[in-house]
Amino acid sequence: MMRIIAAYHTEYPTAGVVHMRDMLRLRGYLVNAKRVRRLMRKMNILVIYPQKSLTKGTVASYVHPYLLRGFR
């Protein structure tokens, strides 16, 4: 089963645990997501997906000045 997961991961690196579980079930293996997650962790397989970038602020293209500064 680990060989099948490794071969599928090289072809589809964005396939996660649920995708792998469904693929294995279609091939006739009776597995659940916990087992697939454990095997993928054991084989050091990480899924490629966009990571969070919470520390980066948005870059403003133009900063507008506060025109009412100094007025009462």
Side-chain angles (χ1 to χ4, degrees):
M1 197 173 339
M2 290 171 70
R3 271 188 250 140
I4 294 171
I5 291 174
Y8 196 77
H9 177 71
T10 55
E11 193 171 338
Y12 301 101
T14 58
V17 173
V18 176
H19 191 112
M20 290 282 188
R21 181 202 63 198
D22 294 342
M23 180 270 304
L24 288 170
R25 283 184 180 175
L26 286 174
R27 293 185 182 207
Y29 292 94
L30 294 174
V31 293
N32 59 3
K34 287 185 197 178
R35 183 168 184 185
V36 174
R37 184 174 287 117
R38 182 180 56 83
L39 291 176
M40 287 176 70
R41 196 176 297 144
K42 186 175 182 178
M43 296 184 322
N44 243 358
I45 291 179
L46 298 176
V47 178
I48 298 173
Y49 61 94
Q51 301 292 324
K52 292 181 183 177
S53 59
L54 297 175
T55 58
K56 298 177 185 176
T58 57
V59 179
S61 60
Y62 176 74
V63 178
H64 299 283
Y66 185 64
L67 300 176
L68 297 177
R69 188 179 316 271
F71 285 108
R72 291 189 179 196

